[in-house]
């Protein structure tokens, strides 16, 4: 009988702990949905630029231009198993820029002596036909595009020379990607993770006053919502920066080598902190107690941690493009842009001119989060008349 | 005793037809109250009577559906002092756990636009008045319950408000602290307008100049505690114990002879007589009983209390 009483009591309490119950049973299904939306909306579609630097040869009777022929051949390639498109790029700089902005996954450079080497090979001289592939060695999709590039280009060379193993390729890393190991590559994401972790401390700081009812004293003192939120925000930004610097310090002690502009680094970190604080404000507007924060806050925290690129790279459907930078579905989470901008600065030594779209996205999202959060928080916790 | 460095202008509070509805329920129903300059008004009512809603409207934390609150004839927002004229001591101990007593007192002072220096001076003064000066540098969470209660009141006074709203100020205090608190509140009156909400009738009786009793959102009665005790209910009680039950005819003749008797009940050998002025009537009453051949072995007198008035007005039934 006691067991039945305990069962009845537990069941009643569980039903009445509405938020905990809803979040417990819906979090995993919701993540399945989010995962589907992010990944299924972006089918794999590798893009490779082809830069033709080949100097065609003029003979008595004809022009030998294997570079252009290769470009034409590659443009007709269709692969249903591993979708890839080879596109012509006018020069190397353009192709490199498109790799940096993630428009393409890699590039093939057909060198100046390409036709000449093929001709020599055809005439029996033991030379290997050169070509070059390049990309961000840290990107998974680059590895796939590189394999496909080598497969198609080497196939073409073998066919036109009528020999096997007739080619030689070199691989050039974009930016500093060749110098980076997995550990170093993880650091930008982990630095932003330090700001994501602000979500709890920050939301709790906003909710503690209403929960402890000290908000009553602040409301009676005519304190303006903006003044209160600004004060809390400044302290939380400092906490976030301290956390980032501590993370950076530990990373440096363990072998991470900082490169890039320190000012851009700080700008990105501060903007990301602000956006997380803005998001925390939305959370604080939805909750009344620290316990509620810990329950409800888990959902966005996991979302920001795992789907904004802090732990591993994520891709998503493009919603719009800003200055050549794709604003994707995961980009709705501000930390996505922070991570991308930090990677650009720390890996590609990018300057402000290269990362301004990310900075604009970060700032825009911060403003949106803050406006929504301010309205919600004021309505819920600081409304006086 | 002058408690503060500067005194603000005394304030008179009026509510006119103050009304608040939550859906179908009328929480406060056309309340008309006046709290005069330097007066302590005890605001009494059972749980859910509408006290807190009314107070929240007076403080400007809740917008009335009808009516208005006037401070010296003006709405709160039109006064230059604005909300700074109000000091509120909530029922719960509301303080910042991890700030010391002095830190939170000066913080609140600064929230009311006091300079840090003035805020510090006032904070130390009030902590001293509340017997908390030796605890100035202790975090609030480390104080005892009684000390936290005293800090709660001190926090309401840092900015020297001319209007003070005290919600159950003596709740959770030991007798010594209650005496200290009562003295303190009495000293505050005269220069300040005070609204005291409480369930402790003894506290209200001892402290209030006037009392307003509210139930189901309506003011049932307003007056001085003495007036209420005299005009409401069955009056003061005389208890006579004869050691044996009195005959019914004696009881009936008592009722006939003494018109001032409001209620007369018996329980075994005891006779309970309720009348407004027992001291005046008692000699004649005893003479009449003695003449009938009965002599009480024990005589007790109990004054009509504010609690009697309260129960009389609001009933014994628990609020829904």
């Amino acid at each position: 009988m006691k067991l039945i009483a305990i069962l009845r009591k537990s069941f009643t309490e569980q039903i009445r702990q509405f938020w905990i119950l809803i979040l417990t049973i819906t979090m995993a299904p919701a993540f399945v949905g989010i995962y589907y939306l992010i990944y299924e909306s972006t089918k794999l579609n590798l893009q490779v630029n082809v830069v033709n630097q080949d100097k065609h040869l003029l003979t008595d009777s004809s022009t030998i231009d294997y570079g252009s022929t290769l470009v034409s051949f590659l443009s007709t390639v269709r692969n249903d198993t591993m979708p890839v498109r080879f596109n012509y790029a006018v020069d190397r700089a353009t192709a490199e820029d498109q790799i940096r902005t993630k428009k393409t996954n890699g590039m093939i450079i057909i060198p100046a002596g390409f036709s000449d080497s093929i001709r020599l090979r055809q005439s029996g001289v033991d030379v290997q036909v050169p070509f070059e592939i390049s990309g961000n060695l840290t990107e998974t999709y680059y590895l796939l595009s590189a394999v496909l590039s080598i497969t198609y280009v080497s196939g073409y060379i073998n066919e036109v020379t009528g020999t096997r193993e007739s080619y030689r390729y070199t691989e050039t890393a974009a930016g500093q990607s060749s110098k980076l190991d997995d550990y170093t590559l993880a650091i930008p994401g982990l630095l932003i993770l330090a700001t994501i972790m602000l979500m709890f401390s920050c939301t709790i700081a906003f909710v503690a006053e209403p929960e402890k009812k000290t908000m009553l004293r602040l409301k009676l003192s005519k304190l303006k919502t903006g003044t209160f939120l600004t004060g809390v925000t400044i302290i939380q930004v400092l906490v976030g920066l301290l956390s980032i610097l501590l993370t950076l310090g530990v990373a440096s002690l363990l072998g991470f080598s900082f490169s890039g502009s320190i000012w851009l680094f700080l700008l990105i970190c501060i903007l990301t902190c602000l956006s997380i604080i803005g998001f925390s404000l939305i959370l604080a507007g939805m909750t009344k107690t620290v316990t509620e924060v810990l329950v409800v806050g888990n959902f966005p925290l996991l979302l920001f941690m795992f789907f904004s690129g802090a732990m591993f790279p994520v891709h998503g459907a493009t919603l719009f493009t800003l200055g050549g930078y794709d604003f994707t579905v995961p980009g709705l989470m501000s930390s996505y842009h922070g991570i991308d901008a930090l990677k650009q600065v720390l890996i590609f030594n990018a300057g402000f001119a290269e990362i301004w779209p990310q900075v604009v996205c970060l700032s825009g999202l911060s403003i949106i989060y803050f406006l929504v959060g301010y309205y919600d928080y004021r309505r819920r916790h600081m409304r006086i008349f | 005793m002058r408690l503060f460095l500067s005194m603000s202008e005394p304030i008179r509070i009026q509510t006119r037809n103050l009304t608040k509805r939550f859906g179908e329920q009328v929480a406060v129903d056309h309340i008309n109250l006046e709290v005069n300059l330097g007066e302590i008004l005890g605001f009494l009512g059972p749980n859910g009577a509408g006290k807190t809603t009314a107070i929240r409207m007076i403080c400007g934390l809740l917008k009335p559906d009808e009516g208005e609150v006037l401070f010296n004839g003006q709405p709160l927002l039109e006064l230059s002092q604005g909300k700074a004229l109000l000091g509120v001591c909530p029922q719960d101990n509301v303080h910042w756990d991890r700030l010391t007593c002095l830190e939170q007192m000066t913080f609140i002072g600064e929230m009311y636009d006091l300079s840090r220096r003035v805020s510090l001076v006032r904070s130390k003064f009030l902590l001293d008045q509340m017997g908390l000066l030796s605890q100035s540098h202790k975090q609030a969470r480390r104080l005892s319950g009684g000390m936290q209660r005293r800090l709660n009141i001190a926090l309401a006074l840092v900015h020297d408000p001319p209007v003070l709203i005290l919600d159950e100020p003596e709740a959770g205090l030991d007798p010594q602290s209650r005496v200290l608190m009562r003295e303190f509140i009495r000293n505050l009156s005269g220069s300040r307008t005070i609204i005291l909400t409480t369930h402790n009738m003894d506290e209200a009786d001892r402290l209030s100049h006037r009392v307003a009793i509210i139930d189901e959102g309506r003011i049932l009665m307003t007056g001085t505690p003495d007036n209420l005790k005299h005009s409401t209910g069955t009056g003061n009680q005389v208890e006579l114990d004869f050691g044996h039950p009195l005959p019914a005819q004696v009881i009936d003749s008592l009722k006939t002879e003494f018109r001032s008797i409001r209620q007369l009940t018996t329980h075994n050998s005891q006779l309970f007589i309720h009348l407004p002025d027992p001291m005046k009537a008692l000699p004649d009453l005893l003479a009449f009983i003695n003449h009938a051949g009965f002599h009480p072995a024990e005589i007790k007198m109990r004054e009509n209390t504010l609690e009697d008035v309260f129960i009389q007005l609001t009933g014994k039934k628990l609020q829904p």
Side-chain angles (χ1 to χ4, degrees):
Chain A
M1 285 308 287
K2 283 185 180 174
L3 177 63
I4 291 171
I6 292 287
L7 284 171
R8 196 186 301 123
K9 171 192 161 287
S10 299
F11 178 76
T12 309
E13 284 177 340
Q14 189 67 72
I15 292 288
R16 288 176 186 167
Q17 285 174 327
F18 181 74
W19 275 110
I20 294 176
L21 180 65
I22 292 292
L23 282 169
T24 304
I25 61 177
T26 61
M27 196 174 287
F31 272 91
V32 170
I34 290 163
Y35 198 87
Y36 173 83
L37 284 174
I38 289 178
Y39 285 97
E40 287 302 307
S41 58
T42 54
K43 299 285 186 193
L44 180 63
N45 189 10
L46 300 170
Q47 299 287 331
V48 179
N49 272 336
V50 184
V51 181
N52 185 9
Q53 297 175 337
D54 186 27
K55 301 275 190 284
H56 59 262
L57 300 172
L58 291 172
T59 62
D60 295 341
S61 57
S62 63
T63 302
I64 300 169
D65 189 355
Y66 287 110
S68 296
T69 319
L70 176 58
V71 172
S72 301
F73 163 68
L74 289 173
S75 68
T76 62
V77 164
R78 295 289 179 272
N79 186 328
D80 293 334
T81 316
M82 193 68 75
V84 62
R85 292 296 298 269
F86 293 95
N87 307 303
Y88 176 73
V90 284
D91 55 30
R92 187 181 185 114
T94 307
E96 280 178 342
D97 196 51
Q98 291 197 333
I99 288 172
R100 189 185 58 74
T101 57
K102 296 184 180 174
K103 293 282 183 198
T104 56
N105 305 103
M107 65 175 172
I108 300 167
I109 296 110
I110 304 170
F114 187 73
S115 291
D116 197 28
S117 301
I118 289 179
R119 193 181 57 81
L120 287 171
R121 183 87 186 178
Q122 286 169 334
S123 60
V125 180
D126 187 19
V127 292
Q128 288 184 306
V129 182
F131 66 93
E132 181 186 344
I133 55 170
S134 180
N136 181 354
L137 305 193
T138 65
E139 290 282 344
T140 314
Y141 288 170
Y142 163 71
L143 301 177
L144 292 173
S145 68
V147 169
L148 289 168
S149 299
I150 293 164
T151 304
Y152 286 114
V153 177
S154 63
Y156 171 83
I157 294 169
N158 287 342
E159 191 177 322
V160 295
T161 57
T163 58
R164 293 182 66 79
E165 302 299 323
S166 53
Y167 62 91
R168 168 178 54 84
Y169 72 87
T170 52
E171 186 180 42
T172 312
Q176 294 194 31
S177 58
S178 65
K179 300 174 191 167
L180 305 172
D181 52 23
D182 286 345
Y183 168 71
T184 307
L185 289 172
I187 298 301
L190 292 174
L191 288 169
I192 296 299
L193 184 66
T195 67
I196 294 173
M197 295 312 290
L198 266 184
M199 203 179 279
F200 271 146
S201 81
C202 195
T203 313
I204 287 169
F206 286 129
V207 166
E209 300 281 354
E211 186 184 19
K212 293 284 289 174
K213 298 184 181 172
T214 41
M215 184 58 85
L216 173 71
R217 294 205 185 280
L218 301 180
K219 280 158 75 173
L220 286 166
S221 73
K222 294 188 294 180
L223 179 67
K224 289 191 168 65
T225 310
T227 311
F228 171 69
L229 297 181
T230 305
V232 176
T233 298
I234 289 170
I235 293 300
Q236 291 300 320
V237 168
L238 293 176
V239 172
L241 282 179
L242 186 67
S243 173
I244 288 169
L245 293 176
L246 201 61
T247 310
L248 188 63
V250 172
S252 300
L253 281 174
L254 298 175
F256 174 74
S257 174
F258 185 91
S259 66
S261 161
I262 184 76
W263 299 113
L264 280 180
F265 170 76
L266 284 174
L267 174 71
I268 295 161
C269 290
I270 289 171
L271 282 175
T272 313
C273 281
L274 282 172
S275 68
I276 296 293
I277 294 167
F279 194 85
S280 305
L281 198 51
I282 298 176
L283 262 183
M286 295 165 63
T287 50
K288 279 185 190 165
T289 64
V290 172
T291 310
E292 277 185 17
V293 170
L294 294 175
V295 174
V296 178
N298 269 316
F299 187 80
L301 183 76
L302 290 176
L303 210 57
F304 273 72
M305 275 173 74
F306 294 115
F307 290 97
S308 68
M311 309 296 273
F312 46 80
V314 290
H315 306 272
T318 301
L319 297 175
F320 61 87
T321 303
L322 178 71
Y325 174 70
D326 288 338
F327 189 100
T328 58
V329 174
L332 292 169
M333 288 172 280
S334 58
S335 49
Y336 177 85
H337 308 289
I339 293 161
D340 197 74
L342 266 194
K343 279 184 178 168
Q344 295 290 329
V345 170
L346 296 179
I347 295 173
F348 290 102
N349 273 330
F352 187 78
E354 284 89 26
I355 62 158
W356 72 262
Q358 287 93 322
V359 171
V360 169
C361 291
L362 255 179
S363 309
L365 283 171
S366 301
I367 291 168
I368 292 169
Y369 291 168
F370 261 102
L371 285 178
V372 175
Y374 175 88
Y375 170 78
D376 206 19
Y377 188 85
R378 188 169 184 274
R379 184 184 59 82
R380 186 87 183 252
H381 300 304
M382 285 195 85
R383 186 164 60 177
I384 48 176
F385 94 98
Chain B
M1 179 171 56
R2 190 175 165 84
L3 289 175
F4 293 93
L5 301 177
S6 65
M7 283 299 181
S8 311
E9 182 194 0
I11 296 287
R12 178 170 182 242
I13 306 170
Q14 290 168 288
T15 69
R16 286 188 188 154
N17 291 320
L18 203 60
T19 304
K20 185 71 191 176
R21 296 181 193 88
F22 296 109
E24 293 294 305
Q25 192 196 352
V26 184
V28 172
D29 192 358
H30 297 87
I31 279 185
N32 289 297
L33 261 185
E34 280 196 20
V35 195
N36 298 315
L37 310 176
E39 182 181 56
I40 300 179
L41 177 83
F43 197 39
L44 312 180
N47 292 334
K51 292 191 303 288
T52 305
T53 306
I55 292 294
R56 284 173 65 81
M57 287 192 282
I58 291 170
C59 293
L61 295 172
L62 196 62
K63 192 173 184 176
D65 291 327
E66 280 178 53
E68 58 184 348
V69 182
L70 301 174
F71 294 83
N72 282 354
Q74 284 182 287
L76 184 63
L77 291 178
E78 287 177 19
L79 291 171
S80 57
Q81 297 145 295
K83 290 190 180 66
L85 62 79
L86 288 166
V88 178
C89 167
Q91 187 175 354
D92 301 315
N93 289 336
V94 174
H95 48 65
W96 288 268
D97 278 346
R98 287 171 196 279
L99 294 186
T100 67
C101 297
L102 195 58
E103 283 168 349
Q104 50 195 303
M105 294 280 287
T106 48
F107 166 69
I108 277 292
E110 287 172 303
M111 287 296 102
Y112 282 100
D113 298 325
L114 301 183
S115 72
R116 186 159 177 79
R117 193 184 61 79
V118 171
S119 197
L120 261 173
V121 171
R122 284 194 179 163
S123 301
K124 284 180 181 170
F125 176 79
L126 280 166
L127 288 173
D128 189 27
Q129 289 292 309
M130 287 290 172
L132 289 171
L133 196 57
S134 60
Q135 311 294 323
S136 295
H137 300 290
K138 203 181 246 188
Q139 289 182 22
R141 66 196 168 109
R142 301 196 191 285
L143 299 176
S144 69
M147 288 175 178
Q148 288 182 348
R149 194 84 201 125
R150 283 182 267 152
L151 176 65
N152 201 34
I153 292 189
L155 281 166
L157 288 162
V158 187
H159 58 292
D160 192 11
V163 176
L164 199 54
I165 293 169
L166 304 172
D167 195 354
E168 299 280 357
E170 292 185 10
L173 290 179
D174 58 28
Q176 287 80 4
S177 299
R178 270 208 298 275
V179 171
L180 176 97
M181 188 65 70
R182 239 169 248 166
E183 280 302 308
F184 185 77
I185 294 170
R186 261 197 213 105
N187 283 330
L188 290 174
S189 68
S191 60
R192 239 161 281 267
T193 308
I194 299 175
I195 298 178
L196 174 78
T197 72
T198 180
H199 288 115
N200 183 339
M201 299 299 148
D202 184 46
E203 180 184 18
D205 198 359
R206 285 169 190 260
L207 284 171
S208 311
H209 297 116
R210 283 191 311 128
V211 165
I213 297 177
I214 180 174
D215 194 22
E216 295 179 346
R218 293 191 195 126
I219 297 288
L220 301 179
M221 192 164 271
T222 311
T224 65
D226 282 344
N227 276 346
L228 290 183
K229 283 185 281 186
H230 280 103
S231 61
T232 312
T234 52
N236 300 325
Q237 176 182 280
V238 178
E239 181 187 326
L240 305 172
D241 193 341
F242 295 92
H244 53 82
L246 275 186
Q249 64 189 67
V250 176
I251 295 170
D252 289 341
S253 55
L254 266 175
K255 283 180 186 170
T256 317
E257 193 68 25
F258 295 91
R259 294 281 180 196
S260 62
I261 291 179
R262 287 182 180 168
Q263 189 179 320
L264 201 153
T265 53
T266 59
H267 179 70
N268 297 330
S269 61
Q270 293 167 305
L271 182 68
F272 301 97
I273 305 169
H274 293 258
L275 66 177
D277 197 351
M279 290 304 286
K280 198 173 161 186
L282 193 59
D284 293 341
L285 199 72
L286 287 174
F288 182 85
I289 293 170
N290 289 339
H291 185 71
F294 299 97
H295 302 281
E298 192 178 350
I299 302 173
K300 287 182 193 168
M301 279 183 59
R302 186 175 76 80
E303 282 196 338
N304 194 22
T305 63
L306 209 49
E307 187 161 304
D308 296 325
V309 175
F310 185 81
I311 293 293
Q312 176 78 24
L313 289 172
T314 61
K316 286 183 178 171
K317 208 175 83 179
L318 290 173
Q319 299 296 316

